[in-house]
Amino acid sequence: MLAPTESSQENKNIITSGVRLEDLFDSSRILVSPKFYKVVLYFPFGLFLFITRLIGGIFGFLLLSLLPVTSKKKSVIFKGLSRILGIIVEVDDKYNDENAKLLIANHVSLLDRLAVNAMVPCNSISKDYKIKNTDAFSFWKDVDIPYPRDLTNEEVAALQQYIEGSSIHVLHFPEYGTTNGKTGLLKFHPGVFSLNVPVQPILINVSLSSFMTVSPCVLGSTVWADVVWALILPSSFFSLKFLPSMVKLPEESIADFSKRVQQTMASAMNLKPTVYTSSDKYELVKRIQTPTIDASSSRRNVESNIAISHKQSSGFIRSTDSPSSSPQKLSMNTAAETFGKSPKERMASYQERRKILLDAARLKYLEKHNI
């Protein structure tokens, strides 16, 4: 998906009633800074938790991979593993419909799949529309991906056949990207809603138990950063709530059905349904990271131009051996060592000194604003 233009972005802002794309995500991991002494006191315990959980998690997932999906032992072992990893789940399953095999959930953290699977044994749908084990070691894949393509007729038939014949549920996150769960929901991809099966909406809320307020998922963060924070903190509290199952109405289009499910879930969570997609989030991360890269590149180019110009004319800027070395000491003295004998030489000297003066001024500007 191409980066949205400014006009399309403005249209989205209007449609979503003032909800900005940035409002859907946390930009900082630590939302409320703790006292320094608390961090120092907790660090040894947190390090112990991280090492213990990392080792226990690796062995736990290896053991689960050896057991069949429908094994009762697998369910017991997985719940125990979830406890080791600090995942604590409470569930309101008043509207749990055993006939609705397709579970539709909002996405707020890397551990969402594990939290749901701890209470409701299930598989999940990968980004290429294949069924995969939720309790596999690769559970962290497909957490944040650009808005995917539509399903083919063959994929629709294969998924529907699997879901209708499966003894366990299938979990899917139609947002294809995580949010902070505080403002709104990303647009639901209509792909799986083309399946002629009832869907069971599940609302997920998460909070990390800690002496400081920490976001489980930060805009632009890596998967491994999320894993480290989840393992080093005492626990992750998940609250799951089942909503009544929903079916596509005869006169309803697939897009309208996916929108109705999104609106129902957003309303139940006091959030706003938006038209932003996971690709919009992907482009937002790129836009945030690009200015820093461009500024650094601009500085290197300016320093390189000054160094080259210095070699070509009289010296009034102390050059360095490499453009990437420490900042140069600048001088605005542009006086030439010799005066040109002809008008052509004097004009060439003027243009060269003018260019160096502009480059020097630009580099001083970059240094002044710490760019």
Side-chain angles (χ1 to χ4, degrees), residues 49-194:
L49 278 181
F50 174 76
I51 296 174
T52 302
R53 288 171 173 173
L54 184 62
I55 296 174
I58 293 175
F59 280 101
F61 281 114
L62 288 176
L63 180 59
L64 288 172
S65 66
L66 301 176
L67 298 175
V69 176
T70 56
S71 173
K72 293 183 178 180
K73 292 182 179 180
K74 188 170 187 176
S75 177
V76 174
I77 294 174
F78 185 80
K79 288 183 178 180
L81 176 60
S82 298
R83 285 285 183 174
I84 294 175
L85 297 177
I87 299 175
I88 301 175
V89 187
E90 63 177 18
V91 58
D92 178 0
D93 57 357
K94 176 182 177 180
Y95 295 105
N96 184 19
D97 184 357
E98 290 297 332
N99 295 321
K101 297 296 184 181
L102 180 59
L103 308 179
I104 299 296
N106 61 302
H107 212 356
V108 290
S109 79
L110 180 74
L111 303 178
D112 291 347
R113 286 178 172 83
L114 302 184
V116 175
N117 195 30
M119 305 306 295
V120 185
C122 57
N123 288 325
S124 61
I125 301 176
S126 66
K127 63 181 179 181
D128 53 355
Y129 305 114
K130 299 291 191 299
I131 298 295
K132 69 175 186 178
N133 293 335
T134 303
D135 54 15
F137 190 70
S138 59
F139 71 90
W140 49 270
K141 289 186 175 180
D142 304 337
V143 173
D144 274 300
I145 62 173
Y147 206 60
R149 59 175 175 79
D150 292 330
L151 278 76
T152 64
N153 293 333
E154 292 76 13
E155 288 169 337
V156 170
L159 285 175
Q160 182 160 331
Q161 182 180 5
Y162 177 87
I163 292 174
E164 291 177 341
S166 176
S167 60
I168 64 173
H169 294 80
V170 175
L171 175 65
H172 183 60
F173 299 98
E175 292 176 285
Y176 283 97
T178 56
T179 67
N180 57 22
K182 303 172 185 175
T183 307
L185 298 178
L186 292 172
K187 180 180 178 180
F188 283 11
H189 189 279
V192 298
F193 295 95
S194 60

